[in-house]
Every structure is written in C-alpha cells, then in structure tokens.
Amino acid sequence: MSTDSPSSPAPGSPAAAYPPAPWRMVGQMWVSVFRVADDVDAAHPRGIYGAAFVSYEEGSPLTYSELLVARVLRTPAGDRRVSITDIWVDSPASVAGGRGLWAIPKGLGDFESSTSRRGPLERARWSMSTDGAPVARARFSDLSAIAPRLPARGGVWQAPIDAHTVPVETDMVGRSRLAPCSSSWTFDTAGPLGWLAGRRSLASFRQRDFTLSFG
C-alpha cells in the first residue's frame, strides 16, 4: 500500500520537508545483480540482490544521487517485490520522504560521479562515502544511446521503520532506454556493504533517461 503522509520528516530523520506522493522522477540508473549464497545477517538473508547508482535529474520533484541495494522477495501475500535493504542519498528531503512515505531506510552519503561519451559508447564512474569513509565505487560502460525505450512495472515491499507499524507496499511504473552494460564494483570491506566485497555480478544494466512514477 502507499501512504499519504503530510510533508514532514519521520522520527529520527533530518528535519526537511518533502514532496507528497507520488514522486514522478526522471534520470539515469546503473544496476548490477548479485547472488548471495549464504545468510549474512537477519537483514541480509541469502538471495538475489541488486546494487545501483542512480541520478535523479531536473524534472524530478527532488534532484539527488543515490546508492541502493535491494533484495528480491515474495511478500506474505505471495507477490514478487524488491525490498531495499541499504540506501544512501545526498538530499535530506529525500531521506525524510523515503522514510516518512514508504518506510525506505535512507541515510545520507557523499557522492562523486562523472560520465564521458565517445560515439554511442558511454562510460560512467561513481563513488559514495559516509562520514569520510568509503562505501562503494563502480565503473560502467554501455551502448544505451541506441537501445529501445521499454516500459517497466514493479513494486517495493518494506518492513516497518520509524512511525510505520505495518509493512509498506509501493507500486512503481516507468520507461527507459534499457541496455546491458559492463560493470566493475568495489565495496569497502570495512564498510556497511562489505558483505558484497569480492562478489561478481551476474548481469548489469543501464536504464537511460528513465521516467518513473513511485508511490
């Protein structure tokens, strides 16, 4: 389900107002899929995870960078969804909105990114740190500029956090130029994503110029 909370921060999140749902976002995403064969801890059981760097650009209600990790699961009702286990952004308003509207456990991070293009080939570099400590960095290359624009639909299921007393389910629908890409990830072994260090991705994709309605 979606919630219609007022534009105020959730307990424990930065004091920042945020736009009401739904958020209609535009931007760029680079995502890689990993298989985790053994339980890491209670929050990270074995399964299929996606790690993504995202840039939400002008035309979105908020513009910011994001690093997220999400796990594929079945909800108690039997629906296939993803659950975001780890996520950082560089926007206090996005932190407050993610927590207050959808129980997404966003935190604040510092991002660096760059892109370059030669003909149809585009390359991107990303890195993210928190409190001066590195968390992850990645490099990507793709030919998404010539990829077809395709629709996508999915949903997010989040366990309760902060003021939420029940799980929150949120639908999302969008379109993007979707293409496979090459990727190289490095996760700091001492950081919060150290459990992904050394794992090879099963596949990687670029979602170029996406439009996304979330919530």
Side-chain angles (χ1 to χ4, degrees), residues 122-157:
E122 186 166 310
R123 293 185 173 89
R125 293 175 178 264
W126 281 86
S127 65
M128 197 282 290
S129 61
T130 57
D131 298 322
V135 174
R137 63 181 186 271
R139 294 179 296 171
F140 307 93
S141 61
D142 65 81
L143 297 170
S144 60
I146 57 176
R149 192 165 181 82
L150 299 173
R153 182 181 296 272
V156 176
W157 183 96

PDB file of all heavy atoms in Angstrom, residues 122-157:
ATOM      1  N   GLU A 122      29.110   5.062 -23.875  1.00  0.00           N
ATOM      2  CA  GLU A 122      29.155   5.959 -22.734  1.00  0.00           C
ATOM      3  C   GLU A 122      29.787   5.256 -21.540  1.00  0.00           C
ATOM      4  O   GLU A 122      29.504   4.087 -21.283  1.00  0.00           O
ATOM      5  CB  GLU A 122      27.758   6.454 -22.365  1.00  0.00           C
ATOM      6  CG  GLU A 122      27.772   7.515 -21.263  1.00  0.00           C
ATOM      7  CD  GLU A 122      26.446   8.239 -21.143  1.00  0.00           C
ATOM      8  OE1 GLU A 122      25.927   8.708 -22.168  1.00  0.00           O
ATOM      9  OE2 GLU A 122      25.937   8.327 -20.012  1.00  0.00           O
ATOM     10  N   ARG A 123      30.624   5.980 -20.804  1.00  0.00           N
ATOM     11  CA  ARG A 123      31.266   5.456 -19.608  1.00  0.00           C
ATOM     12  C   ARG A 123      30.876   6.316 -18.416  1.00  0.00           C
ATOM     13  O   ARG A 123      30.705   7.528 -18.547  1.00  0.00           O
ATOM     14  CB  ARG A 123      32.784   5.436 -19.762  1.00  0.00           C
ATOM     15  CG  ARG A 123      33.296   4.456 -20.818  1.00  0.00           C
ATOM     16  CD  ARG A 123      34.813   4.416 -20.817  1.00  0.00           C
ATOM     17  NE  ARG A 123      35.341   3.371 -21.689  1.00  0.00           N
ATOM     18  CZ  ARG A 123      35.622   3.529 -22.972  1.00  0.00           C
ATOM     19  NH1 ARG A 123      35.432   4.731 -23.545  1.00  0.00           N
ATOM     20  NH2 ARG A 123      36.094   2.525 -23.693  1.00  0.00           N
ATOM     21  N   ALA A 124      30.750   5.663 -17.278  1.00  0.00           N
ATOM     22  CA  ALA A 124      30.397   6.377 -16.045  1.00  0.00           C
ATOM     23  C   ALA A 124      31.242   5.859 -14.899  1.00  0.00           C
ATOM     24  O   ALA A 124      31.574   4.674 -14.831  1.00  0.00           O
ATOM     25  CB  ALA A 124      28.917   6.203 -15.736  1.00  0.00           C
ATOM     26  N   ARG A 125      31.569   6.751 -13.977  1.00  0.00           N
ATOM     27  CA  ARG A 125      32.271   6.407 -12.740  1.00  0.00           C
ATOM     28  C   ARG A 125      31.485   6.976 -11.571  1.00  0.00           C
ATOM     29  O   ARG A 125      31.015   8.119 -11.627  1.00  0.00           O
ATOM     30  CB  ARG A 125      33.693   6.986 -12.720  1.00  0.00           C
ATOM     31  CG  ARG A 125      34.647   6.375 -13.736  1.00  0.00           C
ATOM     32  CD  ARG A 125      35.983   7.108 -13.703  1.00  0.00           C
ATOM     33  NE  ARG A 125      36.957   6.531 -14.625  1.00  0.00           N
ATOM     34  CZ  ARG A 125      37.880   5.643 -14.279  1.00  0.00           C
ATOM     35  NH1 ARG A 125      37.967   5.257 -13.002  1.00  0.00           N
ATOM     36  NH2 ARG A 125      38.716   5.175 -15.164  1.00  0.00           N
ATOM     37  N   TRP A 126      31.340   6.174 -10.528  1.00  0.00           N
ATOM     38  CA  TRP A 126      30.627   6.594  -9.327  1.00  0.00           C
ATOM     39  C   TRP A 126      31.416   6.194  -8.086  1.00  0.00           C
ATOM     40  O   TRP A 126      32.105   5.177  -8.093  1.00  0.00           O
ATOM     41  CB  TRP A 126      29.262   5.907  -9.251  1.00  0.00           C
ATOM     42  CG  TRP A 126      28.194   6.503 -10.113  1.00  0.00           C
ATOM     43  CD1 TRP A 126      27.945   6.210 -11.430  1.00  0.00           C
ATOM     44  CD2 TRP A 126      27.222   7.465  -9.723  1.00  0.00           C
ATOM     45  NE1 TRP A 126      26.873   6.930 -11.876  1.00  0.00           N
ATOM     46  CE2 TRP A 126      26.412   7.714 -10.849  1.00  0.00           C
ATOM     47  CE3 TRP A 126      26.955   8.133  -8.528  1.00  0.00           C
ATOM     48  CZ2 TRP A 126      25.346   8.604 -10.818  1.00  0.00           C
ATOM     49  CZ3 TRP A 126      25.899   9.033  -8.493  1.00  0.00           C
ATOM     50  CH2 TRP A 126      25.108   9.258  -9.632  1.00  0.00           C
ATOM     51  N   SER A 127      31.254   6.972  -7.032  1.00  0.00           N
ATOM     52  CA  SER A 127      31.751   6.572  -5.715  1.00  0.00           C
ATOM     53  C   SER A 127      30.857   7.193  -4.655  1.00  0.00           C
ATOM     54  O   SER A 127      30.215   8.235  -4.881  1.00  0.00           O
ATOM     55  CB  SER A 127      33.202   6.993  -5.499  1.00  0.00           C
ATOM     56  OG  SER A 127      33.317   8.408  -5.470  1.00  0.00           O
ATOM     57  N   MET A 128      30.775   6.528  -3.494  1.00  0.00           N
ATOM     58  CA  MET A 128      29.971   7.026  -2.386  1.00  0.00           C
ATOM     59  C   MET A 128      30.674   6.743  -1.080  1.00  0.00           C
ATOM     60  O   MET A 128      31.265   5.676  -0.903  1.00  0.00           O
ATOM     61  CB  MET A 128      28.595   6.362  -2.385  1.00  0.00           C
ATOM     62  CG  MET A 128      27.535   7.098  -1.543  1.00  0.00           C
ATOM     63  SD  MET A 128      27.658   6.841   0.249  1.00  0.00           S
ATOM     64  CE  MET A 128      27.148   5.134   0.391  1.00  0.00           C
ATOM     65  N   SER A 129      30.628   7.712  -0.167  1.00  0.00           N
ATOM     66  CA  SER A 129      31.219   7.561   1.157  1.00  0.00           C
ATOM     67  C   SER A 129      30.258   8.124   2.198  1.00  0.00           C
ATOM     68  O   SER A 129      29.361   8.916   1.876  1.00  0.00           O
ATOM     69  CB  SER A 129      32.569   8.286   1.237  1.00  0.00           C
ATOM     70  OG  SER A 129      32.406   9.680   1.004  1.00  0.00           O
ATOM     71  N   THR A 130      30.425   7.689   3.434  1.00  0.00           N
ATOM     72  CA  THR A 130      29.659   8.249   4.545  1.00  0.00           C
ATOM     73  C   THR A 130      30.631   8.622   5.653  1.00  0.00           C
ATOM     74  O   THR A 130      31.524   7.845   5.994  1.00  0.00           O
ATOM     75  CB  THR A 130      28.634   7.237   5.100  1.00  0.00           C
ATOM     76  OG1 THR A 130      29.308   6.045   5.512  1.00  0.00           O
ATOM     77  CG2 THR A 130      27.593   6.904   4.058  1.00  0.00           C
ATOM     78  N   ASP A 131      30.460   9.832   6.172  1.00  0.00           N
ATOM     79  CA  ASP A 131      31.334  10.322   7.248  1.00  0.00           C
ATOM     80  C   ASP A 131      32.810  10.178   6.881  1.00  0.00           C
ATOM     81  O   ASP A 131      33.653   9.873   7.732  1.00  0.00           O
ATOM     82  CB  ASP A 131      31.045   9.576   8.551  1.00  0.00           C
ATOM     83  CG  ASP A 131      29.616   9.784   9.035  1.00  0.00           C
ATOM     84  OD1 ASP A 131      29.118  10.909   8.886  1.00  0.00           O
ATOM     85  OD2 ASP A 131      29.016   8.817   9.535  1.00  0.00           O
ATOM     86  N   GLY A 132      33.133  10.401   5.618  1.00  0.00           N
ATOM     87  CA  GLY A 132      34.506  10.331   5.159  1.00  0.00           C
ATOM     88  C   GLY A 132      35.039   8.938   4.907  1.00  0.00           C
ATOM     89  O   GLY A 132      36.190   8.788   4.490  1.00  0.00           O
ATOM     90  N   ALA A 133      34.243   7.909   5.156  1.00  0.00           N
ATOM     91  CA  ALA A 133      34.682   6.523   4.956  1.00  0.00           C
ATOM     92  C   ALA A 133      34.084   5.970   3.670  1.00  0.00           C
ATOM     93  O   ALA A 133      32.876   6.090   3.447  1.00  0.00           O
ATOM     94  CB  ALA A 133      34.252   5.659   6.135  1.00  0.00           C
ATOM     95  N   PRO A 134      34.905   5.364   2.802  1.00  0.00           N
ATOM     96  CA  PRO A 134      34.379   4.847   1.533  1.00  0.00           C
ATOM     97  C   PRO A 134      33.412   3.696   1.749  1.00  0.00           C
ATOM     98  O   PRO A 134      33.576   2.878   2.659  1.00  0.00           O
ATOM     99  CB  PRO A 134      35.635   4.385   0.795  1.00  0.00           C
ATOM    100  CG  PRO A 134      36.639   4.106   1.867  1.00  0.00           C
ATOM    101  CD  PRO A 134      36.348   5.091   2.956  1.00  0.00           C
ATOM    102  N   VAL A 135      32.390   3.630   0.907  1.00  0.00           N
ATOM    103  CA  VAL A 135      31.409   2.547   0.941  1.00  0.00           C
ATOM    104  C   VAL A 135      31.472   1.729  -0.346  1.00  0.00           C
ATOM    105  O   VAL A 135      31.592   0.505  -0.306  1.00  0.00           O
ATOM    106  CB  VAL A 135      29.987   3.094   1.163  1.00  0.00           C
ATOM    107  CG1 VAL A 135      28.951   1.968   1.060  1.00  0.00           C
ATOM    108  CG2 VAL A 135      29.880   3.779   2.517  1.00  0.00           C
ATOM    109  N   ALA A 136      31.384   2.396  -1.494  1.00  0.00           N
ATOM    110  CA  ALA A 136      31.384   1.675  -2.771  1.00  0.00           C
ATOM    111  C   ALA A 136      31.827   2.607  -3.886  1.00  0.00           C
ATOM    112  O   ALA A 136      31.636   3.830  -3.818  1.00  0.00           O
ATOM    113  CB  ALA A 136      29.998   1.120  -3.079  1.00  0.00           C
ATOM    114  N   ARG A 137      32.406   2.006  -4.902  1.00  0.00           N
ATOM    115  CA  ARG A 137      32.676   2.721  -6.141  1.00  0.00           C
ATOM    116  C   ARG A 137      32.458   1.745  -7.296  1.00  0.00           C
ATOM    117  O   ARG A 137      32.532   0.531  -7.129  1.00  0.00           O
ATOM    118  CB  ARG A 137      34.091   3.306  -6.167  1.00  0.00           C
ATOM    119  CG  ARG A 137      35.224   2.310  -6.122  1.00  0.00           C
ATOM    120  CD  ARG A 137      36.563   3.049  -6.132  1.00  0.00           C
ATOM    121  NE  ARG A 137      37.694   2.138  -6.222  1.00  0.00           N
ATOM    122  CZ  ARG A 137      38.302   1.593  -5.183  1.00  0.00           C
ATOM    123  NH1 ARG A 137      37.865   1.861  -3.955  1.00  0.00           N
ATOM    124  NH2 ARG A 137      39.331   0.788  -5.351  1.00  0.00           N
ATOM    125  N   ALA A 138      32.172   2.309  -8.469  1.00  0.00           N
ATOM    126  CA  ALA A 138      31.856   1.451  -9.616  1.00  0.00           C
ATOM    127  C   ALA A 138      32.164   2.188 -10.903  1.00  0.00           C
ATOM    128  O   ALA A 138      32.160   3.426 -10.966  1.00  0.00           O
ATOM    129  CB  ALA A 138      30.388   1.033  -9.581  1.00  0.00           C
ATOM    130  N   ARG A 139      32.423   1.373 -11.950  1.00  0.00           N
ATOM    131  CA  ARG A 139      32.608   1.884 -13.301  1.00  0.00           C
ATOM    132  C   ARG A 139      31.673   1.126 -14.228  1.00  0.00           C
ATOM    133  O   ARG A 139      31.470  -0.080 -14.073  1.00  0.00           O
ATOM    134  CB  ARG A 139      34.051   1.710 -13.766  1.00  0.00           C
ATOM    135  CG  ARG A 139      35.062   2.545 -12.983  1.00  0.00           C
ATOM    136  CD  ARG A 139      36.470   2.305 -13.470  1.00  0.00           C
ATOM    137  NE  ARG A 139      36.879   0.912 -13.244  1.00  0.00           N
ATOM    138  CZ  ARG A 139      38.006   0.368 -13.720  1.00  0.00           C
ATOM    139  NH1 ARG A 139      38.806   1.085 -14.485  1.00  0.00           N
ATOM    140  NH2 ARG A 139      38.305  -0.884 -13.449  1.00  0.00           N
ATOM    141  N   PHE A 140      31.126   1.829 -15.218  1.00  0.00           N
ATOM    142  CA  PHE A 140      30.197   1.228 -16.155  1.00  0.00           C
ATOM    143  C   PHE A 140      30.507   1.713 -17.570  1.00  0.00           C
ATOM    144  O   PHE A 140      30.999   2.817 -17.762  1.00  0.00           O
ATOM    145  CB  PHE A 140      28.752   1.618 -15.825  1.00  0.00           C
ATOM    146  CG  PHE A 140      28.343   1.360 -14.412  1.00  0.00           C
ATOM    147  CD1 PHE A 140      28.457   2.361 -13.448  1.00  0.00           C
ATOM    148  CD2 PHE A 140      27.844   0.127 -14.029  1.00  0.00           C
ATOM    149  CE1 PHE A 140      28.076   2.137 -12.130  1.00  0.00           C
ATOM    150  CE2 PHE A 140      27.456  -0.112 -12.717  1.00  0.00           C
ATOM    151  CZ  PHE A 140      27.572   0.893 -11.776  1.00  0.00           C
ATOM    152  N   SER A 141      30.178   0.886 -18.558  1.00  0.00           N
ATOM    153  CA  SER A 141      30.194   1.316 -19.958  1.00  0.00           C
ATOM    154  C   SER A 141      29.027   0.656 -20.663  1.00  0.00           C
ATOM    155  O   SER A 141      28.681  -0.498 -20.384  1.00  0.00           O
ATOM    156  CB  SER A 141      31.523   0.972 -20.636  1.00  0.00           C
ATOM    157  OG  SER A 141      31.758  -0.426 -20.626  1.00  0.00           O
ATOM    158  N   ASP A 142      28.402   1.403 -21.590  1.00  0.00           N
ATOM    159  CA  ASP A 142      27.196   0.872 -22.226  1.00  0.00           C
ATOM    160  C   ASP A 142      26.949   1.554 -23.566  1.00  0.00           C
ATOM    161  O   ASP A 142      27.561   2.568 -23.891  1.00  0.00           O
ATOM    162  CB  ASP A 142      25.982   1.082 -21.324  1.00  0.00           C
ATOM    163  CG  ASP A 142      25.657   2.547 -21.115  1.00  0.00           C
ATOM    164  OD1 ASP A 142      25.019   3.144 -22.005  1.00  0.00           O
ATOM    165  OD2 ASP A 142      26.040   3.109 -20.069  1.00  0.00           O
ATOM    166  N   LEU A 143      26.018   0.968 -24.308  1.00  0.00           N
ATOM    167  CA  LEU A 143      25.569   1.497 -25.594  1.00  0.00           C
ATOM    168  C   LEU A 143      24.085   1.847 -25.525  1.00  0.00           C
ATOM    169  O   LEU A 143      23.341   1.676 -26.489  1.00  0.00           O
ATOM    170  CB  LEU A 143      25.818   0.477 -26.707  1.00  0.00           C
ATOM    171  CG  LEU A 143      27.285   0.114 -26.970  1.00  0.00           C
ATOM    172  CD1 LEU A 143      27.377  -1.072 -27.918  1.00  0.00           C
ATOM    173  CD2 LEU A 143      28.041   1.311 -27.558  1.00  0.00           C
ATOM    174  N   SER A 144      23.660   2.350 -24.398  1.00  0.00           N
ATOM    175  CA  SER A 144      22.237   2.595 -24.191  1.00  0.00           C
ATOM    176  C   SER A 144      21.670   3.693 -25.081  1.00  0.00           C
ATOM    177  O   SER A 144      20.448   3.780 -25.258  1.00  0.00           O
ATOM    178  CB  SER A 144      21.980   2.945 -22.728  1.00  0.00           C
ATOM    179  OG  SER A 144      22.708   4.114 -22.356  1.00  0.00           O
ATOM    180  N   ALA A 145      22.531   4.533 -25.656  1.00  0.00           N
ATOM    181  CA  ALA A 145      22.033   5.608 -26.511  1.00  0.00           C
ATOM    182  C   ALA A 145      21.277   5.072 -27.727  1.00  0.00           C
ATOM    183  O   ALA A 145      20.422   5.767 -28.284  1.00  0.00           O
ATOM    184  CB  ALA A 145      23.189   6.497 -26.974  1.00  0.00           C
ATOM    185  N   ILE A 146      21.570   3.830 -28.124  1.00  0.00           N
ATOM    186  CA  ILE A 146      20.890   3.258 -29.286  1.00  0.00           C
ATOM    187  C   ILE A 146      19.925   2.151 -28.870  1.00  0.00           C
ATOM    188  O   ILE A 146      19.419   1.413 -29.713  1.00  0.00           O
ATOM    189  CB  ILE A 146      21.908   2.719 -30.315  1.00  0.00           C
ATOM    190  CG1 ILE A 146      22.827   1.667 -29.675  1.00  0.00           C
ATOM    191  CG2 ILE A 146      22.737   3.867 -30.886  1.00  0.00           C
ATOM    192  CD1 ILE A 146      23.787   1.015 -30.665  1.00  0.00           C
ATOM    193  N   ALA A 147      19.665   2.025 -27.582  1.00  0.00           N
ATOM    194  CA  ALA A 147      18.768   0.988 -27.085  1.00  0.00           C
ATOM    195  C   ALA A 147      17.313   1.421 -27.242  1.00  0.00           C
ATOM    196  O   ALA A 147      17.000   2.617 -27.247  1.00  0.00           O
ATOM    197  CB  ALA A 147      19.051   0.692 -25.621  1.00  0.00           C
ATOM    198  N   PRO A 148      16.388   0.456 -27.373  1.00  0.00           N
ATOM    199  CA  PRO A 148      14.967   0.812 -27.458  1.00  0.00           C
ATOM    200  C   PRO A 148      14.440   1.287 -26.113  1.00  0.00           C
ATOM    201  O   PRO A 148      14.956   0.925 -25.063  1.00  0.00           O
ATOM    202  CB  PRO A 148      14.314  -0.513 -27.875  1.00  0.00           C
ATOM    203  CG  PRO A 148      15.234  -1.565 -27.335  1.00  0.00           C
ATOM    204  CD  PRO A 148      16.614  -0.995 -27.472  1.00  0.00           C
ATOM    205  N   ARG A 149      13.391   2.077 -26.174  1.00  0.00           N
ATOM    206  CA  ARG A 149      12.752   2.567 -24.964  1.00  0.00           C
ATOM    207  C   ARG A 149      11.644   1.587 -24.589  1.00  0.00           C
ATOM    208  O   ARG A 149      10.733   1.322 -25.379  1.00  0.00           O
ATOM    209  CB  ARG A 149      12.189   3.972 -25.189  1.00  0.00           C
ATOM    210  CG  ARG A 149      11.758   4.672 -23.924  1.00  0.00           C
ATOM    211  CD  ARG A 149      11.561   6.158 -24.153  1.00  0.00           C
ATOM    212  NE  ARG A 149      11.161   6.839 -22.930  1.00  0.00           N
ATOM    213  CZ  ARG A 149      11.999   7.242 -21.982  1.00  0.00           C
ATOM    214  NH1 ARG A 149      13.295   7.037 -22.122  1.00  0.00           N
ATOM    215  NH2 ARG A 149      11.553   7.846 -20.903  1.00  0.00           N
ATOM    216  N   LEU A 150      11.725   1.033 -23.372  1.00  0.00           N
ATOM    217  CA  LEU A 150      10.837  -0.044 -22.972  1.00  0.00           C
ATOM    218  C   LEU A 150      10.110   0.311 -21.670  1.00  0.00           C
ATOM    219  O   LEU A 150      10.656   1.006 -20.817  1.00  0.00           O
ATOM    220  CB  LEU A 150      11.636  -1.338 -22.756  1.00  0.00           C
ATOM    221  CG  LEU A 150      12.392  -1.878 -23.971  1.00  0.00           C
ATOM    222  CD1 LEU A 150      13.268  -3.054 -23.555  1.00  0.00           C
ATOM    223  CD2 LEU A 150      11.433  -2.291 -25.073  1.00  0.00           C
ATOM    224  N   PRO A 151       8.889  -0.209 -21.508  1.00  0.00           N
ATOM    225  CA  PRO A 151       8.165   0.020 -20.250  1.00  0.00           C
ATOM    226  C   PRO A 151       8.618  -0.941 -19.174  1.00  0.00           C
ATOM    227  O   PRO A 151       9.167  -2.014 -19.451  1.00  0.00           O
ATOM    228  CB  PRO A 151       6.709  -0.245 -20.644  1.00  0.00           C
ATOM    229  CG  PRO A 151       6.815  -1.267 -21.742  1.00  0.00           C
ATOM    230  CD  PRO A 151       8.078  -0.933 -22.500  1.00  0.00           C
ATOM    231  N   ALA A 152       8.388  -0.579 -17.923  1.00  0.00           N
ATOM    232  CA  ALA A 152       8.704  -1.442 -16.784  1.00  0.00           C
ATOM    233  C   ALA A 152       7.695  -1.184 -15.679  1.00  0.00           C
ATOM    234  O   ALA A 152       7.183  -0.065 -15.532  1.00  0.00           O
ATOM    235  CB  ALA A 152      10.118  -1.190 -16.281  1.00  0.00           C
ATOM    236  N   ARG A 153       7.412  -2.228 -14.910  1.00  0.00           N
ATOM    237  CA  ARG A 153       6.477  -2.116 -13.800  1.00  0.00           C
ATOM    238  C   ARG A 153       6.976  -3.006 -12.666  1.00  0.00           C
ATOM    239  O   ARG A 153       7.507  -4.081 -12.903  1.00  0.00           O
ATOM    240  CB  ARG A 153       5.074  -2.535 -14.237  1.00  0.00           C
ATOM    241  CG  ARG A 153       4.012  -2.412 -13.146  1.00  0.00           C
ATOM    242  CD  ARG A 153       2.665  -2.885 -13.671  1.00  0.00           C
ATOM    243  NE  ARG A 153       2.190  -2.046 -14.739  1.00  0.00           N
ATOM    244  CZ  ARG A 153       1.467  -0.946 -14.581  1.00  0.00           C
ATOM    245  NH1 ARG A 153       1.135  -0.566 -13.333  1.00  0.00           N
ATOM    246  NH2 ARG A 153       1.067  -0.225 -15.593  1.00  0.00           N
ATOM    247  N   GLY A 154       6.819  -2.579 -11.438  1.00  0.00           N
ATOM    248  CA  GLY A 154       7.256  -3.386 -10.312  1.00  0.00           C
ATOM    249  C   GLY A 154       6.701  -2.845  -9.013  1.00  0.00           C
ATOM    250  O   GLY A 154       5.795  -2.003  -8.994  1.00  0.00           O
ATOM    251  N   GLY A 155       7.255  -3.337  -7.918  1.00  0.00           N
ATOM    252  CA  GLY A 155       6.794  -2.898  -6.617  1.00  0.00           C
ATOM    253  C   GLY A 155       7.853  -3.090  -5.557  1.00  0.00           C
ATOM    254  O   GLY A 155       8.782  -3.895  -5.719  1.00  0.00           O
ATOM    255  N   VAL A 156       7.729  -2.345  -4.473  1.00  0.00           N
ATOM    256  CA  VAL A 156       8.659  -2.390  -3.348  1.00  0.00           C
ATOM    257  C   VAL A 156       7.873  -2.768  -2.100  1.00  0.00           C
ATOM    258  O   VAL A 156       6.776  -2.246  -1.850  1.00  0.00           O
ATOM    259  CB  VAL A 156       9.360  -1.028  -3.160  1.00  0.00           C
ATOM    260  CG1 VAL A 156      10.248  -1.042  -1.923  1.00  0.00           C
ATOM    261  CG2 VAL A 156      10.178  -0.677  -4.404  1.00  0.00           C
ATOM    262  N   TRP A 157       8.437  -3.670  -1.305  1.00  0.00           N
ATOM    263  CA  TRP A 157       7.861  -4.065  -0.014  1.00  0.00           C
ATOM    264  C   TRP A 157       8.878  -3.745   1.067  1.00  0.00           C
ATOM    265  O   TRP A 157      10.010  -4.201   1.017  1.00  0.00           O
ATOM    266  CB  TRP A 157       7.550  -5.563  -0.014  1.00  0.00           C
ATOM    267  CG  TRP A 157       6.893  -6.082   1.231  1.00  0.00           C
ATOM    268  CD1 TRP A 157       5.561  -6.261   1.438  1.00  0.00           C
ATOM    269  CD2 TRP A 157       7.542  -6.514   2.441  1.00  0.00           C
ATOM    270  NE1 TRP A 157       5.318  -6.769   2.693  1.00  0.00           N
ATOM    271  CE2 TRP A 157       6.519  -6.927   3.336  1.00  0.00           C
ATOM    272  CE3 TRP A 157       8.866  -6.585   2.860  1.00  0.00           C
ATOM    273  CZ2 TRP A 157       6.799  -7.412   4.610  1.00  0.00           C
ATOM    274  CZ3 TRP A 157       9.142  -7.043   4.133  1.00  0.00           C
ATOM    275  CH2 TRP A 157       8.122  -7.462   4.987  1.00  0.00           C
TER     276      TRP A 157
END
